[in-house]
Amino acid sequence: TMNDLTPPLEPTPASPAAGVVEVVPLGAPDEVTGEDRRNLLYGLDGIPQLDPVGLVDASVDATTRTSHLVVDAGVDLALDTFVVTAQRLVDGTALFHYGIVTEVSGRVEGAELATDTVRLARATLPGERFRRAEVTWIRTHPERYLPPSSGAPAWEAKGLHRSRALFIDKMRDDEAIPIGLDLNGEPVFIPYSFLNGERGAHVSISGKSGVATKTSYALFLLYLLFETDHGLRARRGGTHDKAVVFSVKGADLCLLDKPNAVLAGADDTAREARQQWAALGVDEPGPFRHLAVFAPAEDVDHPDPVPDIKVRAVGEAHAYGWSPLSFIRNGLLQYLFDDLESGQVGFIEQAVRTQLLRWAYPLAGDERGRVVLADPALTGDRIGSTWEGALRTLDRKAPRPATDGEVIDGLDDLVEFVAAKVTDEAAATYDPRWVAGVSIGTRQAFVRRLWKAVPRLRRLVRAGLREIDLTDQLSVVDVHALHDDAQRFVVAAVLDRVWAAHENSTAPGRTFVLLDELNKYAPRHGSGPIGSLLVDIAARGRSLGVILIGAQQNPSGVSRDIINNAALEVCGQIKASEAAELGFLPPDMRARAQKIGRA
């Protein structure tokens, strides 16, 4: 058997008189006609005391990147198994190579023609069956860039060697977060410092719709961080850390605080799931305990807005929207557009956004967020001409009566007012201060976009609505029933507020943001304000404490600046056309990603 060919792993017994093990000096370490001294491993520290699973194939090159193992006939070496091999260096120390099995092949030596298979089966032709495993090396210990030794034994990585293969030995004791199980049912870890921004941040999850379980995996990560001992230990309590989850595909995410009926079942699926959670160190998985659910307000004018939600009681959710005052104060006009980078529409949008802020006064006697738009040149107020200057004076403005200007009750009123200011130069309402010197064609294009947005976002911008209050540990923002334009607006408005709090250092802890269908919000080609915001979060969120957990069906459609900034990349089953985007995987694994089963 192969084990008979393996060099002894225990020290060779010395004579009683010597009292020590004699180690032959390495005169010619690469000579294999006599003793294969690189593979003479007795007396070296850390050599696994296990039966090898194979030998490093000497018939092909063994490189620092990949090698092949001739698998022992008594071993079933499967894909994704972590292995370790060792060699003696010239200085007498041991070098360990750690790798993962990325492919396994088999054949019978002696067969040269297809018809030889029949003769081998009838035992009329001699041959020997063998299996060979391709291994991709992921680490050496110590860090020396040398190839493994051909003919050296290889073992399955266990104990300390598995910890080295997964870099667990490099993680602090309190920061190891389990991110799943390998095919042998053992946990795989990532250091929290690669998620929280200390050494890396952001997560990118790719895969086909419906089979890749992208959202499920993202929620699994959040659950580990916020609801398990692993997460509490890694976050050191982190009582001020928060998470924002956008529910973009359905209402299921609005029920994250309810028990999972499947997990509580008595069938094989439930038992297997509980065993897997136990292997991750979570004995009693349950729902999220600290949750707030936000749904868009119903499209009716009501003194107390009612959330438009069907999957839970109305009293268990909060209605959200933006009053005219909050819409203007937060500069949300820009998020009505998805193409401000094309042409000169962006110039007039900036001018209009600033003028709205300069002209806006709270309506006297109103508590529902209405505003009066009045020319500060006529009111006598000194207001800066820049956005920052106008924003500083907004809260100091005295409320004005409706007779002082135009009362804005909702998005319809606001768009109608803006259109009158920027379009007809012959009209008395036209004001060149609002148009940024752009042509009439650009102004008309700008107004057309505004009117297109009105029916899609009318319900979200009107008097009496309240912004989303992100005070709970986990906030679920439901947008699934809204038009795509409205979804983009809500996501942008919420993220803008989160980002501003972190930029201004008013956020007490980190904020994790879970956003699916990322290609819709930050496309690779052509991007509006929300795409620019997400790129900014990906680039600077690591240092400011905003962590993006993004998911997408087609990574080729997402801005490279977002994908490339993700410290953790996760892949489920993916389309063949998208496999080229998975450059972090070896070629064999990229091919497997096209047919991997549902988790």
Side-chain angles (χ1 to χ4, degrees):
T1 66
M2 186 167 299
N3 290 338
D4 297 330
L5 304 176
T6 304
L9 303 181
E10 298 287 352
T12 304
S15 63
V20 295
V21 176
E22 179 181 3
V23 179
V24 179
L26 288 176
D30 290 318
E31 182 181 347
V32 295
T33 54
E35 275 189 306
D36 190 354
R37 300 191 180 201
R38 283 205 181 271
N39 297 340
L40 206 61
L41 303 179
Y42 59 82
L44 297 178
D45 292 335
I47 302 300
Q49 302 303 303
L50 303 168
D51 290 334
V53 295
L55 302 176
V56 178
D57 192 346
S59 68
V60 294
D61 291 341
T63 72
T64 56
R65 294 183 296 107
T66 61
S67 299
H68 288 84
L69 302 182
V70 180
V71 181
D72 189 291
V75 175
D76 289 323
L77 188 62
L79 290 175
D80 295 344
T81 302
F82 293 99
V83 296
V84 56
T85 185
Q87 63 177 297
R88 183 190 293 269
L89 298 179
V90 173
D91 61 7
T93 62
L95 176 66
F96 295 93
H97 284 260
Y98 298 94
I100 183 171
V101 176
T102 51
E103 186 56 277
V104 180
S105 60
R107 65 172 297 173
V108 176
E109 284 193 333
E112 297 181 0
L113 304 173
T115 53
D116 286 343
T117 305
V118 178
R119 288 181 279 275
L120 287 165
R122 294 173 178 171
T124 59
L125 181 70
E128 184 172 356
R129 185 186 305 278
F130 78 97
R131 287 183 180 177
R132 184 162 64 180
E134 181 186 75
V135 176
T136 298
W137 302 115
I138 54 180
R139 185 184 180 186
T140 60
H141 181 81
E143 190 173 351
R144 299 284 299 275
Y145 292 101
L146 295 171
S149 179
S150 297
W155 303 268
E156 185 175 351
K158 298 283 189 179
L160 172 65
H161 291 295
R162 187 175 186 275
S163 295
R164 286 179 181 170
L166 294 173
F167 291 85
I168 299 174
D169 62 317
K170 294 289 187 180
M171 303 180 196
R172 297 193 305 266
D173 292 340
D174 62 347
E175 73 161 349
I177 299 289
I179 58 172
L181 302 174
D182 64 17
L183 292 184
N184 293 319
E186 296 188 70
V188 179
F189 296 87
I190 189 174
Y192 181 56
S193 57
F194 273 75
L195 287 179
N196 67 3
E198 290 180 19
R199 290 189 287 173
H202 312 309
V203 182
S204 175
I205 308 174
S206 303
K208 288 182 180 179
S209 177
V211 297
T213 60
K214 301 184 296 297
T215 304
S216 298
Y217 187 78
L219 291 171
F220 162 76
L221 284 180
L222 287 180
Y223 187 85
L224 287 172
L225 290 175
F226 286 96
E227 298 290 345
T228 71
D229 291 339
H230 295 292
L232 291 175
R233 184 170 57 249
R235 294 190 300 111
R236 297 177 178 85
T239 54
H240 298 296
D241 292 344
K242 296 180 175 62
V244 180
V245 176
F246 292 98
S247 180
V248 300
K249 289 183 177 178
D252 291 352
L253 301 188
C254 298
L255 301 172
L256 294 179
D257 57 340
K258 307 299 181 183
N260 188 315
V262 175
L263 192 62
D267 58 5
D268 291 342
T269 300
R271 283 192 292 270
E272 182 182 7
R274 289 192 292 268
Q275 291 171 358
Q276 290 173 335
W277 277 106
L280 293 169
V282 182
D283 294 326
E284 296 183 6
F288 286 88
R289 292 171 294 175
H290 309 287
L291 181 77
V293 176
F294 298 88
E298 288 187 347
D299 195 9
V300 293
D301 191 6
H302 193 279
D304 189 14
V306 177
D308 186 5
I309 192 167
K310 302 295 189 296
V311 296
R312 58 193 300 147
V314 170
E316 295 180 345
H318 307 278
Y320 70 78
W322 288 264
S323 69
L325 181 60
S326 63
F327 179 88
I328 293 173
R329 180 201 304 274
N330 295 323
L332 301 184
L333 179 71
Q334 60 184 312
Y335 298 125
L336 298 183
F337 303 84
D338 58 4
D339 60 348
L340 287 183
E341 294 183 0
S342 62
Q344 295 184 330
V345 174
F347 294 142
I348 187 173
E349 185 280 326
Q350 292 179 38
V352 169
R353 177 163 30 107
T354 302
Q355 290 298 334
L356 283 172
L357 188 62
R358 295 184 70 247
W359 285 47
Y361 291 85
L363 175 63
D366 178 71
E367 296 182 354
R368 304 188 68 203
R370 293 184 177 91
V371 297
V372 175
L373 293 181
D375 189 348
L378 300 178
T379 62
D381 293 313
R382 299 185 61 181
I383 300 174
S385 59
T386 65
W387 172 266
E388 291 75 14
L391 186 61
R392 283 193 296 269
T393 60
L394 179 62
D395 290 332
R396 299 198 299 267
K397 290 180 177 178
R400 290 193 171 272
T403 55
D404 281 3
E406 189 79 22
V407 176
I408 303 300
D409 189 73
L411 189 59
D412 294 79
D413 296 337
L414 188 143
V415 172
E416 185 176 354
F417 181 88
V418 170
K421 287 293 179 187
V422 304
T423 51
D424 189 357
E425 297 182 7
T429 55
Y430 175 78
D431 191 334
R433 293 173 295 177
W434 288 66
V435 301
V438 301
S439 67
I440 182 63
T442 300
R443 284 179 264 153
Q444 291 173 342
F446 171 73
V447 172
R448 284 198 302 271
R449 286 167 169 79
L450 287 180
W451 282 121
K452 185 184 75 170
V454 167
R456 299 169 180 176
L457 282 84
R458 177 183 290 120
R459 63 184 296 188
L460 297 174
V461 182
R462 68 173 189 268
L465 299 184
R466 292 187 291 271
E467 294 182 59
I468 295 170
D469 183 14
L470 303 175
T471 55
D472 285 78
Q473 187 178 76
L474 182 66
S475 299
V476 176
V477 181
D478 184 23
V479 298
H480 83 277
L482 299 175
H483 187 278
D484 281 355
D485 290 349
Q487 288 186 11
R488 280 192 290 266
F489 174 81
V490 173
V491 170
V494 174
L495 288 183
D496 183 89
R497 182 177 177 183
V498 169
W499 189 234
H502 284 268
E503 279 194 310
N504 298 331
S505 300
T506 57
R510 293 182 176 85
T511 302
F512 294 82
V513 177
L514 195 169
L515 180 59
D516 201 353
E517 297 187 356
L518 199 55
N519 49 291
K520 183 167 69 176
Y521 302 99
R524 181 165 298 183
H525 304 293
S527 178
I530 181 174
S532 299
L533 176 60
L534 286 166
V535 168
D536 202 13
I537 290 174
R540 298 194 294 135
R542 170 183 171 184
S543 59
L544 295 179
V546 181
I547 314 301
L548 178 63
I549 303 176
Q552 57 278 325
Q553 296 181 37
N554 305 316
S556 64
V558 179
S559 170
R560 290 191 185 276
D561 292 326
I562 294 178
I563 299 292
N564 292 341
N565 275 294
L568 175 61
E569 296 190 66
V570 182
C571 180
Q573 186 182 121
I574 199 163
K575 298 177 183 177
S577 59
E578 296 292 323
E581 294 290 321
L582 309 179
F584 61 95
L585 291 177
D588 286 327
M589 285 190 170
R590 289 202 295 270
R592 285 172 52 203
Q594 301 171 36
K595 58 183 180 180
I596 188 172
R598 178 173 177 151

